[in-house]
Amino acid sequence: AYKEFLDKGGINAYINDQLSDETIYTDVNKLMEVGKNIRDKIMDTPFQEDFEVELKSQWERVSGGSDTFTFAVRSSATAEDLPDASFAGQQETYLNVMGYDDLKQKVHLVFASLFTDRAISYRHDRGFEHSKVQLCATCQKMVRSETGATATTAASSTSKVQLCATCQKMVRSETGAAGVMFSLDTESGFRDVVFVTSAYGLGETVVGGTVNPDEWYVFKPTMAEGKEAIIARTMGSKQIKMVYKAGGGSETIPTSEDDQKKWSATDKEVSDLAEMAVKIEKHYGRPMDIEW
């Protein structure tokens, strides 16, 4: 859908022309100007009629036509987690999206976010051709859950950047906790531990690095024996959390002092997450980072 949008909308030639000037990669002001021009061009170009018909049909199918039904609109890339490059967090995510018009606008914004200043510069510096970058917007239904777990996501790698913007059914994790886990130690590369991070509210604060989360290390060999396997833990300050706003969208608010002094996840929850991480790692055959 993204490729057809660029092709039929006549945007590809404009983007390639804008990005062909090598001076933008050494001049921050030029980069900012070009990035804004491209994003404006994408936002000013309407979706094709057949795409809008299909998007609305799928919105109606999932939401039942309810304007109070909530989605998360996200980007997802098959090349987010390469051994020598990470595109994670470079495109936009929109939470608590209500109504078809809002959903359509957020999909449009996710498409445009492939050309943020940071993303343009990063691809150039890493040797990825802009013309080979493709994106898909995914819409996920949001669900209410007092346990605070969100769907896990894991990215596989490819030689070309392919990105999917996802509209997801969202878990109401602002009533609990969310975070990111890794099936190895991110500092040393040690493969026998699962590194789990967690904070209150929606997981975007952990993914974006705007909160100091709680952290645990779980030892895989001990876990495989069915024994208590948490070998280290560090309590983060967790000073903020992201929650839903009434009427749609999200906001960041202070975490209560009591919650800052508590662990955001129980040992049982951490152990369960670690087991999931090991299963996902086994499935893909390599270390993984996973949002939960």
Side-chain angles (χ1 to χ4, degrees), residues 105-118:
Q105 181 196 36
K106 296 305 189 292
V107 169
H108 217 153
L109 286 167
V110 168
F111 280 5
S113 73
L114 192 61
F115 295 96
T116 61
D117 306 338
R118 174 189 170 198

Side-chain angles (χ1 to χ4, degrees), residues 48-86:
Q48 291 79 22
E49 183 178 354
D50 57 347
F51 175 77
E52 284 206 36
V53 168
E54 180 63 20
L55 181 63
K56 188 165 187 178
S57 172
Q58 294 303 321
W59 171 78
E60 290 175 340
R61 179 182 65 84
V62 176
S63 70
S66 171
D67 284 334
T68 60
F69 193 95
T70 55
F71 287 89
V73 181
R74 310 187 64 195
S75 63
S76 178
T78 56
E80 278 191 347
D81 300 300
L82 296 170
D84 58 349
S86 176

Side-chain angles (χ1 to χ4, degrees), residues 14-280:
Y14 177 82
I15 292 174
N16 293 336
D17 179 66
Q18 289 284 303
L19 297 178
S20 64
D21 181 2
E22 286 292 321
T23 64
I24 69 173
Y25 304 109
T26 55
D27 187 323
V28 174
N29 291 325
K30 281 188 177 180
L31 176 63
M32 293 173 61
E33 181 181 355
V34 167
K36 183 179 186 303
N37 289 342
I38 293 174
R39 294 191 298 274
D40 287 347
K41 180 72 170 178
I42 291 173
M43 293 305 298
D44 290 341
T45 302
F47 289 138
Q48 291 79 22
E49 183 178 354
D50 57 347
F51 175 77
E52 284 206 36
V53 168
E54 180 63 20
L55 181 63
K56 188 165 187 178
S57 172
Q58 294 303 321
W59 171 78
E60 290 175 340
R61 179 182 65 84
V62 176
S63 70
S66 171
D67 284 334
T68 60
F69 193 95
T70 55
F71 287 89
V73 181
R74 310 187 64 195
S75 63
S76 178
T78 56
E80 278 191 347
D81 300 300
L82 296 170
D84 58 349
S86 176
F87 297 87
Q90 292 190 16
Q91 281 73 49
E92 295 294 343
T93 292
Y94 298 95
L95 305 177
N96 205 27
V97 177
M98 297 183 185
Y100 171 70
D101 289 339
D102 195 21
L103 180 82
K104 184 176 74 169
Q105 181 196 36
K106 296 305 189 292
V107 169
H108 217 153
L109 286 167
V110 168
F111 280 5
S113 73
L114 192 61
F115 295 96
T116 61
D117 306 338
R118 174 189 170 198
I120 293 171
S121 177
Y122 187 84
R123 287 195 298 269
H124 175 269
D125 292 346
R126 293 288 177 169
F128 289 89
E129 295 182 39
H130 297 294
S131 60
K132 293 182 178 179
V133 175
Q134 295 193 21
L135 180 147
C136 166
T138 351
C139 304
Q140 296 179 316
K141 176 183 174 185
M142 302 181 77
V143 297
R144 190 170 188 87
S145 170
E146 299 304 318
T147 60
T150 60
T152 58
T153 62
S156 58
S157 65
T158 181
S159 60
K160 296 180 181 179
V161 180
Q162 302 283 329
L163 190 123
C164 172
T166 319
C167 304
Q168 295 175 311
K169 175 179 179 179
M170 286 297 296
V171 169
R172 296 301 300 265
S173 64
E174 89 280 13
T175 63
V180 180
M181 58 182 170
F182 305 83
S183 63
L184 49 58
D185 177 18
T186 56
E187 296 294 328
S188 67
F190 183 54
R191 297 282 295 270
D192 278 347
V193 294
V194 177
F195 177 44
V196 180
T197 66
S198 171
Y200 294 113
L202 299 166
E204 293 305 309
T205 55
V206 181
V207 175
T210 58
V211 70
N212 181 19
D214 296 331
E215 301 176 349
W216 297 261
Y217 285 94
V218 184
F219 192 52
K220 294 177 185 176
T222 304
M223 182 171 59
E225 296 175 359
K227 300 177 182 177
E228 171 56 47
I230 297 175
I231 57 174
R233 71 188 78 209
T234 303
M235 181 175 287
S237 58
K238 306 182 294 294
Q239 293 182 348
I240 60 171
K241 63 180 179 179
M242 184 177 287
V243 298
Y244 293 168
K245 290 173 62 177
S250 59
E251 62 182 341
T252 301
I253 63 172
T255 305
S256 70
E257 290 188 12
D258 286 344
D259 281 345
Q260 289 181 38
K261 298 173 183 177
K262 298 176 183 175
W263 295 101
S264 56
T266 65
D267 285 359
K268 175 66 165 57
E269 290 168 337
V270 171
S271 297
D272 288 346
L273 286 166
E275 289 182 4
M276 295 180 200
V278 169
K279 291 178 181 178
I280 292 170

